[in-house]
């Protein structure tokens, strides 16, 4: 149910943003006619009280206050109306209007008002940019708003600033920076003696980041801290959401009893707030838990409720996808293989539809960024034209001076003409070299993009076509085995085993082809998961010591596959030949290299056995040599150790957005 957890976290980020924005305070003072200023401030307060219930009515009142403040020159009313109007426009999705109004206010603030009004306008511009997904621009505006807010005696202003920066970095998946700013927000909320709800939101934000980093235990601890800050009679919706998230984390950690306890508490509280979508996610989470407990009958009963609720409320494809998947798992658990196939088909169709929607969203985002880049290029071209005109004017003045002095300094003029001609030649030569290099770079980038697209296409076609076919073969072979009972033939058993092995091998190939997995931590996570699943199917005990890299390092697909296949071969040798009872896996990223050790307490092997196994061992060393690494093997009567060393760049090539 990790997908459901992500959906809940995403929805709550929106709620969190609203709550942060609602902790706003007025700015500044102005001097005007008492009657007029009183009317404006009263108008703003009345509109603010109804802005969440009647946003359109409140917006009209804000605009009236803005127009009247402009007319009478009331500074405080002018900037207060801009602050409230831009906030409401952003909530209504009218971001361009909000940005234009905030820009107008900033121009006035820069001309003739104090630092507090400038900070307020920068903050409004940052909020508008954040809503439009222009995170880099939003960060720049937040930085300009920061000095006044950080120096203000009300520490809550600084906390709100850091909360917004944390949300932006979380959106950009720059999780270390997001944690830094959420920690600062928590610090300033404590200094400001903020409400328990504000502190709970800080803890909740930190927990969400840990969930996205797959650090489940720290996330669980912060969710509990957030829960302790909330009022169980007032903050019911947030409490129900936190209980659901805690239940999901306990399930991921294999703590089934705790998971069931929090799911049941979450459902009990959710009945009071009557949130059907939350109830749907809780039912699906409970069903998945019961499937893992092999209590398939209970799971199917809960899925029936969830399916009826999903149809009634017309939820999105992601909710239906989770229900279809668990229906298929429950049917397989109950031995109803024929009934599982339609649910599995629905699950695959829904999954493909979601993939298409995600691709469309990515394409729209790419087109937006492309338009922004084109606008930047046009501006740069205009600036270059101005520079060329200025250079042409300067050359014209220079030639006029030379012409006036030509009769007196003919030798100097000729020398100058010669030097100028040489300079033009060098400039032309340099421009030609720059153009050639630009063209070469474009060709290389085009080839690289083509290779990446081809890898993604191959991975998708293998997943969609071969994956679905192999899964269908596996399911059909299970159906045949069920129907034949004890009369099952070895050929059917072999078909089932071969299809399972082919699915595993195909998944490994798809993993190595997919460019989204070209990272060091992705390789570490995949290797750890494979080792755990592989050893679980044997009588061996697995001991792991796995660390992740603090930096995001890019690894080529070929190198990822070579390292993974080397580890896989080492594990296979332990299972097939070592006669061991324990196997250990150590994965440790060091400076400039990845160190992996696979060891066992088996019988070791003699030179004759090494000769018998030379093909497998030779392949391991060949793969690591191909990737620039090494594979060392040491064996004794106490067991065998395989030490794999793979060098990688110590710094990621990705550009990290700085604070």
């Amino acid at each position: 149910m990790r997908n459901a957890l992500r959906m809940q976290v995403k929805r709550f980020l929106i709620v969190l943003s609203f709550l942060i924005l609602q902790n706003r305070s007025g700015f500044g003072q102005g001097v005007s006619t008492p009657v007029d200023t009183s009317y404006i401030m009263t108008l703003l307060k009345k509109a603010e009280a109804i802005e969440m219930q009647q946003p359109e009515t409140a917006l009209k009142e804000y605009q009236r206050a803005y127009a009247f403040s402009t007319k009478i020159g009331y500074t405080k009313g002018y900037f207060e109306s801009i602050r409230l109007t831009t906030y409401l426009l952003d909530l209504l999705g009218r971001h361009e209007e909000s940005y234009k109004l905030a820009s107008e206010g900033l121009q006035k603030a820069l001309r003739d008002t104090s630092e507090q009004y400038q900070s307020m306008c920068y903050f409004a511009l940052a909020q508008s940019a954040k809503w439009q997904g222009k995170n880099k621009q939003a960060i720049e505006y937040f930085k300009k708003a920061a000095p006044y807010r950080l120096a203000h005696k009300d520490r809550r202003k600084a906390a709100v600033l850091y909360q917004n920066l944390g949300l932006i970095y979380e959106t950009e998946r720059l999780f270390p920076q997001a944690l830094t700013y959420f920690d600062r927000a928590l610090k300033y909320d404590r200094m400001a003696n903020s409400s328990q709800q504000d502190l709970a939101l800080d803890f909740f934000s930190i927990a969400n980041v840990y969930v996205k980093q797959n650090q489940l235990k720290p996330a669980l601890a912060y969710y509990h801290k957030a829960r302790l800050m909330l009022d169980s009679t007032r903050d019911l919706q947030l409490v129900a959401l936190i209980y659901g998230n805690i239940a999901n984390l306990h399930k991921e950690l294999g703590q089934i009893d705790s998971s069931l306890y929090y799911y049941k508490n979450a459902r009990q509280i959710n009945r009071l707030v009557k949130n059907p979508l939350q109830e749907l996610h809780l039912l699906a989470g409970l069903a998945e838990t019961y499937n893992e407990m092999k209590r398939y009958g209970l799971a199917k009963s809960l899925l029936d409720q969830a399916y009826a609720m999903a149809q009634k409320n017309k939820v999105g494809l992601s909710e239906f996808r989770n229900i279809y998947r668990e229906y298929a798992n429950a049917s397989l658990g109950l031995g109803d293989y024929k009934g599982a196939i339609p649910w599995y088909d629905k699950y695959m169709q829904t999954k493909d539809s979601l993939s298409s929607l995600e691709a469309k969203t990515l394409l729209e985002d790419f087109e937006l960024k492309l338009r922004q880049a084109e606008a930047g290029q046009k501006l740069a071209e205009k600036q270059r034209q101005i520079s060329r005109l200025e250079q042409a004017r300067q050359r014209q003045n220079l030639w006029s001076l030379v012409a006036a002095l030509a009769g007196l300094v003919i030798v100097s003029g000729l020398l100058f003409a010669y030097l100028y001609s040489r300079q033009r030649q060098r400039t032309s030569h340099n421009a030609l070299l720059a153009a050639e290099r630009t063209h070469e770079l474009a060709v290389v980038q085009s080839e690289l993009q083509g290779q990446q697209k081809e890898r993604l296409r191959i991975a998708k076609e293998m997943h969609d076509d071969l994956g679905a076919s192999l899964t269908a073969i596996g399911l059909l072979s299970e159906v045949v085995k069920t129907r034949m009972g004890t009369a099952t033939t070895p050929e059917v058993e072999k078909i089932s085993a071969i299809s399972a092995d082919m699915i595993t091998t195909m998944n490994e190939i798809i993993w190595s082809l997919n460019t989204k997995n070209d990272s060091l931590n992705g390789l570490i996570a995949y290797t750890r998961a494979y080792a755990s699943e592989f050893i679980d199917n044997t009588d061996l005990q697995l001991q792991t010591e796995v660390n992740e890299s603090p930096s995001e390092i890019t690894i080529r697909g070929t190198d990822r596959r070579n390292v993974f296949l080397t580890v896989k071969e080492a594990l296979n040798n332990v299972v097939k030949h070592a006669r061991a009872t324990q196997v250990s896996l150590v994965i440790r990223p060091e400076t400039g290299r990845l160190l992996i050790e696979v060891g066992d307490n088996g019988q070791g092997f003699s030179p004759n056995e090494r000769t018998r196994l030379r093909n497998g061992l030779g392949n391991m060393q060949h793969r690591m040599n191909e990737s620039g690494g090494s594979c060392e093997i040491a064996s004794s009567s106490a067991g065998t150790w395989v030490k794999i060393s793979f060098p990688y760049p110590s710094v990621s090539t990705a550009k990290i957005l700085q604070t």
Side-chain angles (χ1 to χ4, degrees):
M1 290 300 295
R2 191 170 293 174
N3 289 331
L5 177 60
R6 291 196 185 100
M7 290 294 294
Q8 291 174 352
V9 170
K10 184 176 180 181
R11 289 197 307 275
F12 192 75
L13 285 177
I14 299 174
V15 177
L16 176 61
S17 181
F18 287 173
L19 291 173
I20 292 171
L21 290 171
Q22 286 178 339
N23 284 277
R24 305 182 305 270
S25 59
F27 290 83
Q29 299 175 349
V31 179
S32 188
T33 307
V35 175
D36 295 336
T37 58
S38 176
Y39 165 75
I40 292 172
M41 300 311 294
T42 301
L43 192 64
L44 291 175
K45 289 180 180 178
K46 288 182 178 180
E48 189 174 11
I50 63 170
E51 66 180 4
M52 300 307 296
Q53 295 79 22
Q54 304 176 44
E56 295 294 340
T57 302
L59 180 61
K60 291 180 181 178
E61 297 300 308
Y62 288 156
Q63 291 171 338
R64 285 177 59 194
Y66 165 78
F68 195 61
S69 298
T70 304
K71 180 178 179 182
I72 66 174
Y74 180 32
T75 303
K76 180 178 179 180
Y78 174 83
F79 286 102
E80 280 293 305
S81 59
I82 284 181
R83 177 177 67 86
L84 294 168
T85 304
T86 54
Y87 165 72
L88 191 53
L89 285 171
D90 280 327
L91 287 185
L92 294 172
R94 295 160 65 175
H95 306 304
E96 292 184 0
E97 293 180 49
S98 171
Y99 190 89
K100 182 178 179 181
L101 184 60
S103 299
E104 174 187 318
L106 177 62
Q107 295 305 315
K108 180 176 177 61
L110 291 173
R111 286 196 304 269
D112 54 13
T113 56
S114 65
E115 183 184 359
Q116 60 184 1
Y117 293 131
Q118 296 176 20
S119 176
M120 184 180 68
C121 292
Y122 280 128
F123 196 86
L125 286 169
Q127 290 285 4
S128 179
K130 185 185 73 173
W131 279 98
Q132 297 179 71
K134 302 175 181 178
N135 292 332
K136 185 175 181 180
Q137 188 178 29
I139 290 174
E140 294 299 323
Y141 283 128
F142 277 131
K143 287 182 180 178
K144 293 180 179 179
Y148 174 79
R149 299 180 75 87
L150 295 178
H152 200 279
K153 62 181 181 180
D154 183 3
R155 299 287 83 191
R156 180 59 187 156
K157 293 182 182 295
V160 172
L161 175 70
Y162 287 137
Q163 270 281 3
N164 278 278
L165 285 170
L167 290 172
I168 290 176
Y169 281 111
E170 183 180 355
T171 303
E172 292 293 323
R173 302 188 66 79
L174 299 174
F175 299 126
Q177 292 89 332
L179 285 175
T180 297
Y181 283 110
F182 284 139
D183 285 336
R184 291 181 185 176
L186 177 61
K187 172 185 174 182
Y188 280 98
D189 270 331
R190 284 172 170 165
M191 293 172 60
N193 293 323
S194 298
S195 67
Q196 295 290 92
Q197 187 184 62
D198 290 330
L199 294 173
L201 292 175
D202 293 332
F203 287 129
F204 188 88
S205 300
I206 294 171
N208 291 340
V209 176
Y210 278 124
V211 168
K212 291 183 178 180
Q213 292 181 300
N214 202 30
Q215 299 184 37
L216 304 186
K217 290 185 177 179
L220 190 60
Y222 277 99
Y223 278 137
H224 280 296
K225 289 182 180 181
R227 170 63 191 92
L228 293 175
M229 293 291 176
L230 296 172
D231 186 341
S232 58
T233 61
R234 184 188 61 193
D235 304 314
L236 292 176
Q237 186 164 355
L238 184 52
V239 172
L241 178 58
I242 290 177
Y243 270 144
N245 291 351
I246 291 174
N248 287 333
L249 292 183
H250 278 299
K251 178 171 59 63
E252 293 288 336
L253 292 169
Q255 300 165 356
I256 302 301
D257 291 337
S258 297
S259 178
L260 290 175
Y261 169 81
Y262 283 106
Y263 271 131
K264 291 176 181 178
N265 277 289
R267 289 191 66 195
Q268 184 177 0
I269 296 172
N270 191 63
R271 291 191 185 101
L272 299 177
V273 297
K274 298 179 180 179
N275 185 337
L277 187 58
Q278 177 71 359
E279 179 69 9
L280 175 61
H281 285 296
L282 293 173
L283 287 170
L286 269 172
E288 184 179 0
T289 304
Y290 282 130
N291 272 337
E292 292 181 1
M293 297 173 66
K294 298 183 179 180
R295 298 172 67 179
Y296 304 112
L298 283 175
K300 198 162 187 180
S301 175
L302 292 172
L303 288 170
D304 290 338
Q305 298 178 45
Y307 187 59
M309 187 175 294
Q311 288 181 317
K312 180 179 178 181
N313 293 279
K314 299 179 179 179
V315 298
L317 291 176
S318 60
E319 284 78 11
F320 277 110
R321 176 192 59 187
N322 295 334
I323 292 173
Y324 294 152
R325 182 188 62 225
E326 296 310 317
Y327 259 130
N329 291 335
S331 298
L332 287 173
L334 293 170
D336 183 12
Y337 300 109
K338 186 175 181 181
I341 292 176
W343 291 115
Y344 179 79
D345 289 338
K346 289 182 178 181
Y347 166 72
M348 293 301 300
Q349 292 171 4
T350 307
K351 187 176 181 181
D352 290 341
S353 298
L354 284 172
S355 299
S356 299
L357 290 174
E358 291 174 358
K360 181 180 179 182
T361 302
L362 289 173
L363 180 60
E364 291 174 351
D365 183 62
F366 172 77
E367 290 175 348
L368 175 61
K369 292 181 179 179
L370 181 61
R371 289 195 296 269
Q372 293 173 349
E374 289 175 349
Q377 290 176 352
K378 290 180 180 178
L379 179 61
E381 180 61 29
K382 289 182 179 179
Q383 292 175 342
R384 286 194 293 269
Q385 290 177 357
I386 293 172
S387 297
R388 285 196 293 269
L389 290 173
E390 180 64 21
Q391 291 173 0
R393 184 183 65 81
Q394 292 175 357
R395 286 197 297 270
Q396 184 178 6
N397 293 338
L398 179 62
W399 281 111
S400 298
L401 179 61
V402 171
L405 299 176
L408 300 174
V409 288
I410 186 65
V411 176
S412 299
L414 291 173
L415 178 61
F416 174 80
Y418 171 75
L419 294 175
Y420 180 76
S421 176
R422 288 290 303 274
Q423 179 64 29
R424 289 291 298 273
Q425 290 176 0
R426 285 195 295 268
T427 301
S428 299
H429 180 67
N430 291 338
L432 180 60
L433 288 177
E436 291 176 352
R437 290 172 182 170
T438 301
H439 176 70
E440 292 173 357
L441 179 60
V443 171
V444 171
Q445 290 176 339
S446 176
E447 292 177 352
L448 179 60
Q449 290 175 356
Q451 292 174 1
Q452 292 177 341
K453 288 180 180 179
E454 184 65 15
R455 286 173 62 188
L456 288 174
R457 183 188 67 79
I458 294 171
K460 184 177 183 303
E461 289 185 358
M462 290 181 68
H463 176 272
D464 292 347
D465 298 335
L466 294 179
S469 299
L470 290 173
T471 302
I473 291 172
L475 287 174
L476 290 173
S477 65
E478 292 296 330
V479 172
V480 173
K481 286 166 62 179
T482 302
R483 290 179 177 176
M484 295 180 69
T486 58
T488 303
T489 62
E491 289 78 6
V492 174
E493 294 285 356
K494 191 171 183 180
I495 289 172
S496 179
I498 291 174
S499 64
D501 290 341
M502 289 180 68
I503 290 173
T504 301
T505 304
M506 184 194 66
N507 288 334
E508 293 171 3
I509 295 173
I510 292 174
W511 170 77
S512 65
L513 286 174
N514 196 330
T515 58
K516 295 180 180 178
N517 298 323
D518 286 348
S519 68
L520 177 61
N521 284 335
L523 169 62
I524 293 172
Y526 189 81
T527 304
R528 174 176 56 194
Y530 171 81
S532 177
E533 182 178 352
F534 179 69
I535 299 300
D536 280 348
N537 295 325
T538 69
D539 295 331
L540 295 172
Q541 292 183 352
L542 174 65
Q543 296 179 347
T544 60
E545 181 185 338
V546 179
N547 298 323
E548 293 187 352
S549 172
S551 302
E552 191 62 27
I553 305 298
T554 300
I555 304 295
R556 296 187 312 162
T558 302
D559 294 336
R560 284 192 293 109
R561 181 168 173 80
N562 282 339
V563 173
F564 170 72
L565 289 178
T566 303
V567 176
K568 180 179 178 182
E569 181 67 25
L571 292 172
N572 282 335
N573 287 339
V574 174
V575 173
K576 292 181 179 179
H577 308 294
R579 296 182 182 177
T581 59
Q582 292 182 350
V583 59
S584 65
L585 173 66
V586 178
I587 303 179
R588 185 168 59 250
E590 297 180 347
T591 304
R593 70 168 183 169
L594 175 65
L595 179 63
I596 302 177
E597 295 181 358
V598 180
D600 63 74
N601 64 347
Q603 61 183 357
F605 59 86
S606 64
N608 290 335
E609 288 175 323
R610 182 165 184 164
T611 302
R612 179 168 55 85
L613 298 172
R614 63 181 181 273
N615 289 335
L617 301 179
N619 287 338
M620 294 163 63
Q621 293 171 340
H622 175 72
R623 289 192 183 99
M624 293 313 303
N625 290 336
E626 182 181 340
S627 295
S630 64
C631 177
E632 300 177 3
I633 303 169
S635 182
S636 68
S637 60
T640 302
W641 280 91
V642 177
K643 184 176 181 180
I644 300 166
S645 178
F646 168 66
Y648 59 81
S650 59
V651 179
S652 173
T653 56
K655 297 291 185 180
I656 300 178
L657 187 60
Q658 297 299 320
T659 311

